[in-house]
Structures are given as structure tokens and as C-alpha cells.
Amino acid sequence: MASGPVSDIYLAPSVRTAVKLLVVGHFAVGKTTFVGTLSEIPPLRTEERMTQAGALVDDLAGVHGKDTTTVALDFGRLTLSKSLVLYLFGAPGQQRFTPLWRDMAYGALGALVLTDTRRLEQSFAVMDLLEEHGLPYAVAVNRFDGAPEFAEEELREALDLLPDTPLVSCDARDTGSATRALVTLVEYLSARVEDPTELEPA
């Protein structure tokens, strides 16, 4: 992947707040795509080609054309305002990688949970892990081509979300759509911290 200009690699001197956020979700929900779409620097990816051995433990039902998987993390950076930068850590979705979550969750302010309407039930284990680590989160429905559409009330009920948990839809391939989903999380988190001005998204 080609590197961006030097000015895009280094932080602006006006940045005074750096926030670590997790991008999580079940297997093949679009986490690597989401981080890559938003990152202003060449994203770090730890994807490996899937093998026959992995087919025994990775549920490929409803997944088409996927031949690689994240085996450690994805990493990207997004400067959201002159003073605020976000560090995005994409966590692998398979259960065998959950021991990595302990280290990845350390220092994180919150998480964006990506989900797929074709496999909503697979999001429960992810949200359980976030709650176990005490991390607040927002949920973003990644809109896949041909996936069924549901009303927000139906999705909230199916995912058993608390009334104040943000729920949005996005296209992980689209910069504007992915940014809006991330801003929703940042706004939610800023309402929870003692000094909300530390997380001004605009």
C-alpha cells in the first residue's frame, strides 16, 4: 500500500487529546474494511489467508467470497478535529482470539460494534465481552448488499439494547457513512466523561 504525504503521517501540533477506540464485531462483519476506510494513515493489518483448518472453527454460513481473516488486530488513525485524534483498534471476531481482548481493551474509552442483519445473534458474544470489560459501546449495522432490512425498534429488540445505547446504520466502505457512525460513538462517550470538551468531535 502506498504511503501518504508526510503531513498525513505526523500529528498536527494542535492535537491535545488522543482517544483509543475499539472496532469490534463478529467474524466477517467488515471491521478491517471499516478501519481501512477511515484511517488517514496506511492502516496496519494482520490478515492471513484462511486455510482448511480454519474452516473447522470459523462459521462461514452467510459469508461469501471471504478468503482472509484478521489474526491479531487492525490499526488506524483518524484526526476528528484540530485537537482530537482517534486511534482505532479492530479486534478479530472469532472466539479463539478473545484472549487478545484483555490487552486491546486496556486504555480504550469505548467501542463501536459492527453487526450484520443476516447474523445478528453472533453479536451477543461480542457485546458480552465489552460489558465484561466495562466498555461502553454504540452499535452500527453494516449494510451488506442483499441483507434484510429491519426497523430500528426491531433491531433494538433483537439485540436487546439498552434505551441509551446508540444504534446507527453504515456502509463500512463509504468514508462519510463510516465517519458518521464513529462520530455517533464519540458523541455518546463525550456525554459520559467528566469533561465533555475533551471529546469535541467538531
Side-chain angles (χ1 to χ4, degrees):
M1 178 177 293
S3 298
V6 173
S7 60
D8 291 338
I9 298 175
Y10 296 101
L11 287 176
S14 59
V15 171
R16 63 183 179 86
T17 302
V19 174
K20 178 182 180 181
L21 299 176
L22 302 186
V23 178
V24 299
H26 54 71
F27 174 62
V29 77
K31 301 177 295 293
T32 297
T33 299
F34 187 93
V35 172
T37 295
L38 287 182
S39 183
E40 65 197 15
I41 59 174
L44 169 66
R45 291 174 173 154
T46 57
E47 286 194 299
E48 294 293 342
R49 186 163 297 280
M50 297 179 68
T51 65
Q52 194 64 35
L56 300 175
V57 291
D58 294 332
D59 183 6
L60 293 173
V63 179
H64 304 287
K66 184 171 179 61
D67 58 4
T68 61
T69 186
T70 299
V71 296
L73 58 85
D74 299 306
F75 174 78
R77 189 189 77 196
L78 176 64
T79 301
L80 204 57
S81 72
K82 291 180 179 179
S83 62
L84 174 62
V85 65
L86 306 179
Y87 291 111
L88 308 177
F89 289 76
Q94 299 97 312
Q95 281 196 322
R96 67 182 185 277
F97 294 121
T98 53
L100 293 172
W101 280 58
R102 183 175 293 104
D103 292 333
M104 292 187 66
Y106 182 78
L109 195 62
L112 184 68
V113 179
L114 293 183
T115 190
D116 177 355
T117 57
R118 299 168 298 183
R119 297 175 290 149
L120 289 175
E121 71 285 350
Q122 295 185 23
S123 298
F124 288 114
V126 174
M127 293 187 289
D128 285 345
L129 274 172
L130 292 174
E131 290 167 6
E132 177 184 328
H133 290 292
L135 285 178
Y137 58 87
V139 177
V141 177
N142 192 13
R143 299 296 185 184
F144 287 89
D145 296 337
E149 300 279 343
F150 298 100
E152 180 177 338
E153 295 76 12
E154 293 177 289
L155 289 170
R156 283 189 168 279
E157 183 176 356
L159 292 168
D160 195 25
L161 299 181
L162 294 174
D164 65 337
T165 300
L167 175 63
V168 298
S169 65
C170 75
D171 182 339
R173 302 164 298 183
D174 180 77
T175 302
S177 177
T179 299
R180 287 190 292 274
L182 200 61
V183 167
T184 297
L185 171 64
V186 171
E187 290 175 339
Y188 174 58
L189 296 176
S190 80
R192 298 171 58 94
V193 299
E194 292 184 3
D195 182 6
T197 60
E198 293 184 358
L199 286 177
E200 290 291 342

